[in-house]
Amino acid sequence: MTSQAPSLRHTAFRKLHESGCFILPNPWDPGSARWLEQAGFKALATTSAGYAFSRGMPDRKIGVDEVLRHCTELVQATQLPVNVDFEDGYASTLEGLRENVQRCVLTGISALSIEDSVQDAQGTRLYDFDSAVARMRAAREAIDAIDPNVMLVGRAECFLVGQPDLDETLKRLSAYAEAGADCLYAPGLSTKEQISAVVKAVVPKPVNIMMGPAAKLGFKTLRDIGVRRISTASTLALAAWTGFAQAVDRLKNQEIDGFGNSVDYFQLCERFKETAR
């Protein structure tokens, strides 16, 4: 498969954020990425959790070298723009952050997100406000030094680390927008009021909402609030693992009389035959 030039992918990805609302699904390997492309989605995003599970690891335990290899793998798997879940940049220092961000951009991705939380011996916690803003600015500078068309997504993790403070979330997202983030993201939001407040705080920049607590609001409501994109996070990977776990339970009970799969061997061979050439 001939790979599409990164510049064309970057332009297409930015265009998606200009109006309306789109779903950004998160594959975890080339097969799931190719299926999503053939299903008609216009862009993809990595899932740190989904990929970690596929490697038999918990989330946030995969090193940066392996993450970058995975980014390259997904970029090469389809013609679609790829947005990377780049955690906190896999570095505690600004110098390390800049280096890793540039390495990520060089894989051909069209966007990457930087979180303002870190997991260490003290557990998962937020970077202090000033450090978080400085890190976002450093990520923007690192991107611009290679390709300013690559988007930066600023993530405020307050609701995911046990600090569900909307005012702090709005303060951080507004600062990240000023520091150069092109899209803003606060995973864990669940109500129309919370999401509306975020959209208004960073307008005209686009807002990403994660499926999870917000999913109950439905696509139309999120679109009408002004959300530009909805990411699936680890939802698809968990759906795959759910099917696998259910099949394993049947085998444990010595049930071998067929699983009634909705996808079979021949369908997968047919679906992927073009990419094997």
Side-chain angles (χ1 to χ4, degrees):
M1 178 172 59
T2 302
S3 181
Q4 187 177 57
S7 61
L8 296 177
R9 300 194 200 205
H10 302 345
T11 299
F13 197 49
R14 282 187 174 274
K15 186 73 173 176
L16 285 173
H17 293 77
E18 291 179 2
S19 62
C21 182
F22 68 98
I23 294 176
L24 183 65
N26 299 68
W28 59 93
D29 63 6
S32 56
R34 288 169 182 157
W35 185 289
L36 289 165
E37 180 179 37
Q38 292 179 25
F41 290 96
K42 302 302 182 183
L44 306 172
T46 68
T47 160
S48 63
Y51 179 61
F53 300 154
S54 76
R55 305 298 296 167
M57 299 282 286
D59 194 15
R60 301 182 77 109
K61 296 299 182 182
I62 301 291
V64 66
D65 290 341
E66 188 168 354
V67 168
L68 293 172
R69 183 197 64 77
H70 177 54
C71 292
T72 300
E73 183 179 58
L74 287 193
V75 168
Q76 294 176 350
T78 79
Q79 303 289 325
L80 300 180
V82 175
N83 185 113
V84 175
D85 175 356
F86 209 50
E87 299 193 9
D88 71 336
Y90 301 90
S92 59
T93 66
L94 293 182
E95 180 181 359
L97 174 67
R98 291 189 186 97
E99 179 182 353
N100 287 342
V101 166
Q102 292 192 337
R103 292 176 67 195
C104 189
V105 171
L106 290 172
T107 67
I109 55 94
S110 296
L112 62 87
S113 63
I114 294 294
E115 302 173 4
D116 59 4
S117 66
V118 60
Q119 190 176 77
D120 56 22
Q122 302 172 20
T124 303
R125 58 182 175 81
L126 293 174
Y127 283 99
D128 68 79
F129 177 79
D130 290 341
S131 295
V133 175
R135 291 172 63 82
M136 201 64 60
R137 187 175 295 112
R140 180 74 264 169
E141 292 169 353
I143 292 171
D144 288 348
I146 297 179
D147 190 340
N149 286 323
V150 171
M151 293 182 68
L152 173 62
V153 181
R155 288 181 51 152
E157 304 287 291
C158 306
F159 280 73
L160 291 190
V161 300
Q163 298 183 38
D165 184 330
L166 183 59
D167 289 338
E168 179 67 17
T169 297
L170 297 177
K171 175 184 174 183
R172 285 174 176 255
L173 291 179
S174 297
Y176 300 160
E178 292 181 7
D182 300 291
C183 179
L184 290 308
Y185 184 9
L189 300 180
S190 60
T191 70
K192 290 176 62 175
E193 292 74 20
Q194 292 169 344
I195 297 168
S196 294
V198 166
V199 170
K200 292 175 182 176
V202 301
V203 69
K205 293 194 175 182
V207 169
N208 180 96
I209 291 297
M210 180 181 73
M211 278 176 56
K216 66 180 183 296
L217 297 175
F219 179 88
K220 184 179 183 299
T221 296
L222 292 174
R223 180 196 63 198
D224 292 345
I225 290 172
V227 171
R228 282 282 179 261
R229 71 185 210 192
I230 302 167
S231 56
T232 64
S234 58
T235 300
L236 293 175
L238 293 176
W241 280 105
T242 296
F244 177 78
Q246 291 172 345
V248 169
D249 287 343
R250 292 195 64 192
L251 290 177
K252 287 169 59 178
N253 292 328
Q254 299 180 345
E255 299 177 39
I256 62 172
D257 58 335
F259 289 84
N261 294 328
S262 59
V263 177
D264 64 28
Y265 169 89
F266 298 102
Q267 286 174 294
L268 288 171
C269 286
E270 181 67 22
R271 179 173 290 269
F272 296 140
K273 69 179 182 181
E274 294 298 325
T275 59
R277 294 179 179 177

